[in-house]
Amino acid sequence: VLEGAVTLVLDDGSTTTAGASDLIVQRGTEHAWENRTNAPTRILFVLIGARVQDELRALLDSGGRSGVA
């Protein structure tokens, strides 16, 4: 987060709020980002490709959810 604050909402309903200079590593879960303030927020996203591990692929193929944050 470069400026302001942003809330990460995960598919299990848990939330984490990050402010300026905070870092969140989001590891492939279903999620949303919300600005719950009245002030602008600036965020820098860095996306890095990754190989899907066999156990995660099997879980996804079965329709399950990883639950990994």
Side-chain angles (χ1 to χ4, degrees), residues 34-48:
E34 295 182 348
N35 180 350
R36 296 182 174 180
T37 72
N38 293 325
T41 298
R42 291 183 358 157
I43 306 168
L44 173 69
F45 290 96
V46 177
L47 306 176
I48 299 172

Side-chain angles (χ1 to χ4, degrees), residues 14-69:
S14 62
T15 62
T16 300
T17 300
S21 78
D22 286 341
L23 171 73
I24 295 175
V25 177
Q26 195 283 324
R27 296 177 57 195
T29 58
E30 294 181 31
H31 65 284
W33 301 100
E34 295 182 348
N35 180 350
R36 296 182 174 180
T37 72
N38 293 325
T41 298
R42 291 183 358 157
I43 306 168
L44 173 69
F45 290 96
V46 177
L47 306 176
I48 299 172
R51 185 175 56 87
V52 177
Q53 295 182 2
D54 292 338
E55 63 184 34
L56 177 57
R57 185 181 312 281
L59 181 65
L60 294 172
D61 288 345
S62 72
R65 295 178 184 259
S66 69
V68 176

